[in-house]
mmCIF file of all heavy atoms in Angstrom:
data_model
loop_
_atom_site.group_PDB
_atom_site.id
_atom_site.type_symbol
_atom_site.label_atom_id
_atom_site.label_comp_id
_atom_site.label_asym_id
_atom_site.label_seq_id
_atom_site.Cartn_x
_atom_site.Cartn_y
_atom_site.Cartn_z
ATOM 1 N N TYR A 145 -207.135 -73.723 66.389
ATOM 2 C CA TYR A 145 -208.507 -73.686 65.808
ATOM 3 C C TYR A 145 -209.102 -72.257 65.838
ATOM 4 O O TYR A 145 -209.694 -71.844 64.783
ATOM 5 C CB TYR A 145 -209.357 -74.648 66.699
ATOM 6 C CG TYR A 145 -210.841 -74.588 66.330
ATOM 7 C CD1 TYR A 145 -211.399 -75.313 65.292
ATOM 8 C CD2 TYR A 145 -211.670 -73.843 67.184
ATOM 9 C CE1 TYR A 145 -212.718 -75.276 65.012
ATOM 10 C CE2 TYR A 145 -213.090 -73.817 66.935
ATOM 11 C CZ TYR A 145 -213.528 -74.572 65.783
ATOM 12 O OH TYR A 145 -214.949 -74.518 65.592
ATOM 13 N N ARG A 146 -208.947 -71.562 66.876
ATOM 14 C CA ARG A 146 -209.538 -70.257 66.945
ATOM 15 C C ARG A 146 -208.973 -69.347 65.866
ATOM 16 O O ARG A 146 -209.694 -68.605 65.211
ATOM 17 C CB ARG A 146 -209.348 -69.654 68.351
ATOM 18 C CG ARG A 146 -209.734 -68.191 68.406
ATOM 19 C CD ARG A 146 -209.735 -67.757 69.890
ATOM 20 N NE ARG A 146 -210.079 -66.333 69.995
ATOM 21 C CZ ARG A 146 -210.230 -65.709 71.208
ATOM 22 N NH1 ARG A 146 -210.195 -66.291 72.323
ATOM 23 N NH2 ARG A 146 -210.618 -64.407 71.132
ATOM 24 N N VAL A 147 -207.695 -69.316 65.722
ATOM 25 C CA VAL A 147 -207.011 -68.533 64.720
ATOM 26 C C VAL A 147 -207.485 -68.846 63.343
ATOM 27 O O VAL A 147 -207.866 -68.006 62.425
ATOM 28 C CB VAL A 147 -205.489 -68.551 64.815
ATOM 29 C CG1 VAL A 147 -204.773 -67.906 63.648
ATOM 30 C CG2 VAL A 147 -205.045 -67.975 66.137
ATOM 31 N N ARG A 148 -207.565 -70.095 63.035
ATOM 32 C CA ARG A 148 -207.935 -70.624 61.793
ATOM 33 C C ARG A 148 -209.417 -70.115 61.415
ATOM 34 O O ARG A 148 -209.758 -69.625 60.377
ATOM 35 C CB ARG A 148 -207.935 -72.089 61.789
ATOM 36 C CG ARG A 148 -208.169 -72.773 60.456
ATOM 37 C CD ARG A 148 -207.941 -74.228 60.595
ATOM 38 N NE ARG A 148 -208.366 -75.004 59.484
ATOM 39 C CZ ARG A 148 -208.328 -76.314 59.440
ATOM 40 N NH1 ARG A 148 -207.852 -77.003 60.509
ATOM 41 N NH2 ARG A 148 -208.785 -77.017 58.412
ATOM 42 N N VAL A 149 -210.331 -70.225 62.468
ATOM 43 C CA VAL A 149 -211.693 -69.851 62.236
ATOM 44 C C VAL A 149 -211.816 -68.336 62.094
ATOM 45 O O VAL A 149 -212.611 -67.834 61.246
ATOM 46 C CB VAL A 149 -212.567 -70.265 63.461
ATOM 47 C CG1 VAL A 149 -213.999 -69.794 63.330
ATOM 48 C CG2 VAL A 149 -212.699 -71.852 63.384
ATOM 49 N N GLU A 150 -211.065 -67.551 62.849
ATOM 50 C CA GLU A 150 -211.135 -66.111 62.732
ATOM 51 C C GLU A 150 -210.728 -65.635 61.391
ATOM 52 O O GLU A 150 -211.202 -64.727 60.813
ATOM 53 C CB GLU A 150 -210.385 -65.440 63.875
ATOM 54 C CG GLU A 150 -211.014 -65.629 65.213
ATOM 55 C CD GLU A 150 -210.186 -64.967 66.390
ATOM 56 O OE1 GLU A 150 -208.963 -64.986 66.251
ATOM 57 O OE2 GLU A 150 -210.895 -64.504 67.274
ATOM 58 N N GLN A 151 -209.651 -66.285 60.848
ATOM 59 C CA GLN A 151 -209.139 -65.881 59.548
ATOM 60 C C GLN A 151 -210.227 -66.273 58.440
ATOM 61 O O GLN A 151 -210.479 -65.416 57.548
ATOM 62 C CB GLN A 151 -207.833 -66.647 59.193
ATOM 63 C CG GLN A 151 -206.709 -66.137 60.054
ATOM 64 C CD GLN A 151 -205.446 -67.071 59.847
ATOM 65 O OE1 GLN A 151 -205.506 -68.128 59.397
ATOM 66 N NE2 GLN A 151 -204.276 -66.485 60.190
ATOM 67 N N GLU A 152 -210.770 -67.339 58.567
ATOM 68 C CA GLU A 152 -211.818 -67.819 57.577
ATOM 69 C C GLU A 152 -213.020 -66.976 57.729
ATOM 70 O O GLU A 152 -213.812 -66.737 56.690
ATOM 71 C CB GLU A 152 -212.151 -69.298 57.735
ATOM 72 C CG GLU A 152 -213.046 -69.822 56.647
ATOM 73 C CD GLU A 152 -212.527 -69.765 55.305
ATOM 74 O OE1 GLU A 152 -211.257 -69.814 55.145
ATOM 75 O OE2 GLU A 152 -213.274 -69.620 54.432
ATOM 76 N N LEU A 153 -213.399 -66.497 58.927
ATOM 77 C CA LEU A 153 -214.546 -65.668 59.121
ATOM 78 C C LEU A 153 -214.517 -64.390 58.273
ATOM 79 O O LEU A 153 -215.457 -63.971 57.626
ATOM 80 C CB LEU A 153 -214.692 -65.223 60.610
ATOM 81 C CG LEU A 153 -215.736 -64.289 60.994
ATOM 82 C CD1 LEU A 153 -217.184 -64.856 60.623
ATOM 83 C CD2 LEU A 153 -215.716 -64.014 62.503
ATOM 84 N N GLY A 154 -213.308 -63.767 58.181
ATOM 85 C CA GLY A 154 -213.212 -62.576 57.395
ATOM 86 C C GLY A 154 -213.336 -62.868 55.905
ATOM 87 O O GLY A 154 -213.975 -62.109 55.130
ATOM 88 N N VAL A 155 -212.795 -64.052 55.458
ATOM 89 C CA VAL A 155 -212.952 -64.426 53.987
ATOM 90 C C VAL A 155 -214.517 -64.686 53.735
ATOM 91 O O VAL A 155 -215.022 -64.222 52.771
ATOM 92 C CB VAL A 155 -212.161 -65.657 53.729
ATOM 93 C CG1 VAL A 155 -212.467 -66.184 52.334
ATOM 94 C CG2 VAL A 155 -210.610 -65.312 53.938
ATOM 95 N N ALA A 156 -215.120 -65.464 54.632
ATOM 96 C CA ALA A 156 -216.530 -65.827 54.374
ATOM 97 C C ALA A 156 -217.415 -64.565 54.367
ATOM 98 O O ALA A 156 -218.302 -64.504 53.608
ATOM 99 C CB ALA A 156 -216.968 -66.799 55.433
ATOM 100 N N SER A 157 -217.164 -63.665 55.345
ATOM 101 C CA SER A 157 -217.953 -62.465 55.386
ATOM 102 C C SER A 157 -217.901 -61.603 54.080
ATOM 103 O O SER A 157 -218.837 -61.041 53.573
ATOM 104 C CB SER A 157 -217.546 -61.587 56.600
ATOM 105 O OG SER A 157 -217.702 -62.240 57.769
ATOM 106 N N GLY A 158 -216.670 -61.559 53.598
ATOM 107 C CA GLY A 158 -216.445 -60.779 52.261
ATOM 108 C C GLY A 158 -217.159 -61.505 51.123
ATOM 109 O O GLY A 158 -217.828 -60.796 50.329
ATOM 110 N N ILE A 159 -217.125 -62.845 51.062
ATOM 111 C CA ILE A 159 -217.778 -63.491 49.953
ATOM 112 C C ILE A 159 -219.324 -63.321 50.040
ATOM 113 O O ILE A 159 -219.994 -62.961 49.024
ATOM 114 C CB ILE A 159 -217.570 -65.047 50.061
ATOM 115 C CG1 ILE A 159 -216.008 -65.266 49.653
ATOM 116 C CG2 ILE A 159 -218.390 -65.832 49.125
ATOM 117 C CD1 ILE A 159 -215.525 -66.705 49.900
ATOM 118 N N LYS A 160 -219.830 -63.446 51.294
ATOM 119 C CA LYS A 160 -221.338 -63.193 51.483
ATOM 120 C C LYS A 160 -221.760 -61.843 51.129
ATOM 121 O O LYS A 160 -222.826 -61.597 50.539
ATOM 122 C CB LYS A 160 -221.726 -63.523 52.991
ATOM 123 C CG LYS A 160 -221.621 -65.091 53.244
ATOM 124 C CD LYS A 160 -221.856 -65.362 54.716
ATOM 125 C CE LYS A 160 -221.783 -66.801 54.905
ATOM 126 N NZ LYS A 160 -222.761 -67.623 54.203
ATOM 127 N N LEU A 161 -220.961 -60.806 51.449
ATOM 128 C CA LEU A 161 -221.206 -59.449 51.146
ATOM 129 C C LEU A 161 -221.376 -59.174 49.680
ATOM 130 O O LEU A 161 -222.382 -58.594 49.144
ATOM 131 C CB LEU A 161 -220.208 -58.515 51.714
ATOM 132 C CG LEU A 161 -220.438 -57.023 51.542
ATOM 133 C CD1 LEU A 161 -221.722 -56.528 52.289
ATOM 134 C CD2 LEU A 161 -219.227 -56.209 51.951
ATOM 135 N N VAL A 162 -220.422 -59.815 48.870
ATOM 136 C CA VAL A 162 -220.504 -59.576 47.553
ATOM 137 C C VAL A 162 -221.710 -60.377 46.807
ATOM 138 O O VAL A 162 -222.499 -59.814 45.983
ATOM 139 C CB VAL A 162 -219.143 -60.121 46.815
ATOM 140 C CG1 VAL A 162 -219.284 -60.169 45.327
ATOM 141 C CG2 VAL A 162 -218.049 -59.222 47.233
ATOM 142 N N THR A 163 -221.853 -61.723 47.238
ATOM 143 C CA THR A 163 -222.879 -62.446 46.639
ATOM 144 C C THR A 163 -224.234 -62.007 47.059
ATOM 145 O O THR A 163 -225.169 -61.900 46.122
ATOM 146 C CB THR A 163 -222.714 -63.996 47.065
ATOM 147 O OG1 THR A 163 -221.271 -64.268 46.815
ATOM 148 C CG2 THR A 163 -223.651 -64.915 46.295
#
Side-chain angles (χ1 to χ4, degrees):
Y145 170 81
R146 175 174 174 169
V147 169
R148 185 174 170 186
V149 172
E150 287 179 329
Q151 290 175 341
E152 187 59 33
L153 176 59
V155 174
S157 299
I159 292 173
K160 289 178 182 295
L161 182 64
V162 171
T163 309

